[in-house]
Amino acid sequence: MEVWVMQKNILIVDDESITRQGIKKTLESWTNGNKEILVAPNAASAIDMFKSKKIHLLITDIDMPEMTGLEMLKEIKRIGQLPVVIIISAYSDFSYAQEAIELGVINYLLKPINKQKLIEVVEKALELEEKRKRVSMIEKVVDDRLIHIKEDEKLDGPIEKAIKYLDSNISNQINLKEVARHVHLNPSYFSVLFKEQTSMTFSEYVTRIRIQKAKNLLLTTNLTVSEIAEQVGYNTPKYFIKIFKEYENVTPNRYKVK
């Protein structure tokens, strides 16, 4: 399976060309081409970039003409992006600290900027961005109803065994009779017992674990929708897309980029 790794984009915003290009040169040397380093001479240009590209780390001057760094951060937040932010300034009196923290600022550098200090701060910022991404991904993928079932210590042995079997074989064509046979129960009785203990039908549970696995694959791999449909047990991409949209209110492709 090919794991999809998104390149990190770093945007530097400063109206002083020397500072802007100096930071860019330092970071390009440090990243050795592994990250895209972008620059903008003012807040308006930066906002335009945010509208067309995902920015993971923003390094911005706080004191710029026409629109300050904090005003820019409010606008960026309004359009739906929440990068990790490092603020740079020529002044040590940073009186907007609380407001800045609320807008995503995690560190503050004074001009002139020490190259080693810059790299240290950027490394920590990217580590934080990665942690935030992982938390966000977990929240996006996890089905609360499935978590509740798997944390339930009162499940009978056969139902617990059935759930483990389903989780291990979800990419296969699976049906109630097969699972009932696996746990040595009559299919009709198994169906009633399953719903009684999980508060959902057998078919709903199967669909939910397939959708959860599909969401994880959509966010972490470069697999096509057809390939994902096959890996989560659907015969045709068309039917997979239909079921996915019923549960998530968006198509798989739209889910991947939303």
Side-chain angles (χ1 to χ4, degrees):
M1 182 188 299
E2 182 184 0
V3 177
W4 176 56
V5 179
M6 180 186 288
Q7 184 185 49
K8 301 294 184 184
N9 297 322
I10 301 173
L11 175 59
I12 303 155
V13 187
D14 198 307
D15 59 311
E16 296 177 356
S17 178
I18 293 175
T19 302
R20 189 170 68 242
Q21 295 302 325
I23 295 173
K24 183 175 189 286
K25 186 177 179 181
T26 298
L27 294 184
E28 283 179 337
S29 176
W30 167 66
T31 63
N32 197 28
N34 293 324
K35 295 170 181 62
E36 186 171 5
I37 313 297
L38 307 162
V39 294
N42 52 53
S45 297
I47 290 167
D48 285 342
M49 286 191 187
F50 272 97
K51 289 177 180 177
S52 61
K53 187 183 287 281
K54 172 72 175 177
I55 303 297
H56 302 90
L57 171 60
L58 172 64
I59 303 171
T60 181
D61 190 2
I62 194 171
D63 186 23
M64 295 183 289
E66 297 181 16
M67 184 184 289
T68 68
L70 291 187
E71 289 170 341
M72 177 184 66
L73 292 182
K74 290 176 185 176
E75 180 62 18
I76 290 166
K77 188 175 181 180
R78 190 188 68 77
I79 62 177
Q81 285 224 44
L82 295 170
V84 174
V85 183
I86 298 168
I87 273 184
I88 52 180
S89 177
Y91 308 101
S92 59
D93 179 18
F94 190 30
S95 57
Y96 304 104
Q98 185 58 46
E99 183 180 11
I101 290 169
E102 292 172 0
L103 293 169
V105 175
I106 58 109
N107 219 318
Y108 178 56
L109 290 171
L110 280 175
K111 295 179 180 180
I113 297 169
N114 177 277
K115 290 182 180 180
Q116 188 56 43
K117 178 66 174 175
L118 170 66
I119 291 169
E120 288 173 6
V121 169
V122 167
E123 284 178 338
K124 289 178 181 178
L126 289 173
E127 286 174 8
L128 176 59
E129 193 276 334
E130 189 63 30
K131 287 178 183 177
R132 286 184 183 177
K133 187 185 80 173
R134 285 198 295 267
V135 170
S136 176
M137 187 176 294
I138 290 168
E139 290 174 347
K140 195 174 179 183
V141 167
V142 165
D143 184 323
D144 289 338
R145 291 189 65 186
L146 294 180
I147 293 296
H148 177 73
I149 289 170
K150 290 177 181 180
E151 290 178 345
D152 189 351
E153 297 178 357
K154 297 178 182 178
L155 292 177
D156 284 350
I159 300 304
E160 187 175 7
K161 186 178 178 181
I163 285 172
K164 288 179 180 177
Y165 182 78
L166 284 168
D167 290 349
S168 300
N169 293 277
I170 201 60
S171 59
N172 303 324
Q173 297 303 308
I174 232 166
N175 59 56
L176 187 145
K177 286 184 179 180
E178 175 189 339
V179 181
R181 186 168 57 249
H182 178 74
V183 298
H184 310 294
L185 291 177
N186 172 277
S188 296
Y189 177 64
F190 171 71
S191 177
V192 171
L193 187 63
F194 192 94
K195 186 172 182 180
E196 183 182 281
Q197 294 208 7
T198 65
S199 299
M200 68 177 76
T201 65
F202 175 85
S203 62
E204 182 185 359
Y205 181 85
V206 170
T207 300
R208 283 183 177 274
I209 58 176
R210 282 179 169 158
I211 295 299
Q212 180 169 276
K213 182 176 180 180
K215 290 192 292 185
N216 184 57
L217 292 172
L218 284 165
L219 294 175
T220 62
T221 74
N222 273 325
L223 295 175
T224 66
V225 169
S226 295
E227 290 169 332
I228 290 172
E230 183 178 350
Q231 286 212 14
V232 299
Y234 288 101
N235 286 325
T236 66
K238 186 176 180 180
Y239 185 63
F240 165 61
I241 292 167
K242 176 179 178 292
I243 297 298
F244 191 96
K245 192 171 182 180
E246 285 178 7
Y247 274 77
E248 299 299 322
N249 297 315
V250 292
T251 63
N253 279 328
R254 181 62 185 158
Y255 179 88
K256 186 166 186 171
V257 299
K258 74 172 184 173

